[in-house]
Amino acid sequence: MNILFIGDIVARAGREVLHQHLKSVQEEFDIECTIANCENAAAGFGVTPKIAKELLSWGVDVLTSGNHIWDKKEILPYLDSQPRILRPSNYPSVNPGHGSVVINTPRGDAVAVINIQGLSFMPPIDDPFRAVDRELAQISDGAR
């Protein structure tokens, strides 16, 4: 399975490059699942629902994030309603959104994506290893 992971999409320039090249890269490399980090997609800090919808409409399957996911307050309600945009799983569960998702590729494979934030030089949050264990326990056996 070919998975494309795109690091930080930063501001309008990053979104424009993604929009211009994503389809051709997906076709050239027979990509079955595209994951991109969106936490800096809105002017370099955070993401808005409008931008997240745009990225998903271009062919990104799952949007990951980090500590900047909280920078644009309008994204908070959207995190609960859109399972394909992930907040770090190791933030407290009272925060909006999901830390993992299972998607199905066009070929019918189930792919699990877990979003975790590291601890180095970051605000204190839950142990990433414990968070991964919690997420893995909830993922169906058929997911990769």
Side-chain angles (χ1 to χ4, degrees):
M1 175 180 295
N2 293 330
I3 297 174
L4 173 63
F5 184 84
I6 301 164
D8 282 5
I9 299 166
V10 180
R12 181 183 307 271
R15 295 192 320 265
E16 288 175 358
V17 168
L18 179 73
H19 190 226
Q20 291 172 3
H21 299 284
L22 180 59
K23 287 293 179 206
S24 63
V25 170
Q26 288 172 324
E27 290 172 7
E28 180 179 349
F29 295 98
D30 193 28
I31 301 298
E32 298 171 60
C33 178
T34 300
I35 304 162
N37 186 287
C38 70
E39 73 167 327
N40 295 308
F45 295 98
V47 65
T48 64
K50 178 183 178 191
I51 291 172
K53 290 174 189 175
E54 188 176 68
L55 299 173
L56 293 169
S57 76
W58 294 340
V60 175
D61 297 301
V62 178
L63 295 168
T64 61
S65 66
N67 63 315
H68 290 293
I69 192 66
W70 318 113
D71 289 353
K72 304 289 186 213
K73 299 305 177 203
E74 61 267 35
I75 197 66
L76 298 180
Y78 189 64
L79 292 174
D80 281 331
S81 66
Q82 176 49 269
R84 296 190 305 148
I85 181 170
L86 302 178
R87 60 145 168 94
S89 178
N90 50 333
Y91 271 82
S93 61
V94 296
N95 285 291
H98 315 277
S100 67
V101 68
V102 176
I103 62 160
N104 291 308
T105 69
R107 295 181 184 158
D109 293 315
V111 176
V113 180
I114 300 173
N115 192 55
I116 296 292
Q117 181 176 301
L119 300 176
S120 298
F121 309 108
M122 302 300 288
I125 52 175
D126 193 13
D127 178 346
F129 297 100
R130 284 189 208 142
V132 167
D133 286 343
R134 278 194 308 270
E135 294 294 340
L136 286 172
Q138 296 177 23
I139 292 173
S140 67
D141 291 336
R144 293 174 151 194

